Amino acid sequence: MYWSTARAAARRGYASAASAPAVMNVNGIRVAGASASSSEQLASLALVVNAGSRFETIENAGAAHFLKAFGFRDTQPRTSFRTIREAELNGATLTAEATRENIVFRVQCFRDAVPYFVDVLSQVAAGTKFAEHEFSAVQRVVQLEAASAQAHAETRVLEALHQAAFRGGLSNSLYVPEGSPVNSAESVQAYARSAFARDRVAVVGTGIEAQELSQLVAASKLAELPANAELPAAQTTSFAGGSQKVIESAAPVSHYALAFSCAPEEAPVLARLLGTQRRAKWNVGAAPLAQAAAEDGFAAEAFSFAYSDAALVGVLVSAPAARLRASVERVAQTIQKSVARPSADSVKRAAAAAQVDAADQMALQEGVARALTQVALGQPAATLEAVEQAASKLSASAQSVFASKPAAASVSLSQATPYVDTLGF
């Protein structure tokens, strides 16, 4: 095992009350831990496998979504009923999440229950049975989640935006597609076997130090995982700058997402420069884009998505179909005039907002766990130090990013949707 201090994972708040967060290597498994204080009672654990939807191919589209839903099902030593019953008796919460990069199985529990739940998580990776009789229940879960996403216009437009912005890999949907080739427990198990290996797995804990957690991991079933994953490496990401239109004639409100390519570490600060986040309940704020939205009566929400090798930053515009074109054009003009050439006050506001957001996240158990996961997997982490560094170069970044060709996606009437190449970028 080797030791490396991950000071960037936290500089204040939750992790500053005790030892610095650290990342260790246990026979190829990255183990990260941070303890806020010796008297702390709550802990969290996460088993992270670097096998999100970006790694899917045409032969297994939707497999990451299915694998997430198989979390905490029957394993070799425990039925799913026993796992849930014992979690409830311990007051623990079990959750699973699939992103484009990772599949994450989480536990929040009392600190004295950590050894037990390390074993539970190790069995998720090394002992899930993938019983055929469970597949139908899992299939119903993922199909419901996919249908719910389809019914949510904002989710649909952001999914379409990824398809427009990227080709392969990050363009893959978070949700199982209709007609997915994943049609049996065996096909999910095949994806799991290709992904669950020591070089793709990390275990992250808060409320427990890395040294203690690494000893538990070394003694668990995780140590028996294969050394190297069969899952192919991610495709090199390139920003395509395309557009996608989803025709929705019956919706009373239309949505249009406009996004720019940027470096992952720049994304959270550039999103704050767009300035749509309210800091006072009854005031839209001083940012030009927020003022424009209030004057013209449309909604504008800045967003950012940061990945290991790419990032998007942009604005989601929502307006009645008849006013969508004018609203999007006003947003584009405001970005070109005021965001791509920001004033000193705009830069100061954005830097302060991004730093407060980062500090706030690092004061929470969830924020520390997210940063530790990113550090452990070698992915850009939105820590306070990283945000401060990005903020110091914000003006130059804005001029470069917001002058580039954007990608766009919409859920609206086709007649109401402006073409991205008519917006002046």
Side-chain angles (χ1 to χ4, degrees), residues 54-117:
R54 72 175 298 176
F55 299 98
E56 295 173 352
T57 65
I58 192 171
E59 290 82 14
N60 56 24
H65 193 180
F66 271 101
L67 183 54
K68 181 269 297 188
F70 257 104
F72 307 109
R73 299 278 175 170
D74 287 359
T75 60
Q76 297 300 332
R78 299 179 184 88
T79 63
S80 58
F81 176 80
R82 177 183 167 188
T83 297
I84 300 305
R85 178 178 179 274
E86 292 179 352
E88 291 176 343
L89 290 173
N90 279 281
T93 302
L94 312 179
T95 58
E97 175 189 15
T99 70
R100 282 182 165 80
E101 302 233 68
N102 305 314
I103 304 171
V104 186
F105 305 95
R106 293 191 182 92
V107 177
Q108 186 175 40
C109 60
F110 285 111
R111 194 182 184 285
D112 59 6
V114 164
Y116 172 77
F117 286 109

Side-chain angles (χ1 to χ4, degrees), residues 13-19 34-42 111 206-209 212:
Y14 180 91
S16 64
S19 59
S35 181
S37 68
S38 58
S39 61
E40 185 180 1
Q41 295 187 50
L42 286 179
R111 194 182 184 285
T206 62
I208 181 170
E209 293 185 4
E212 181 182 355

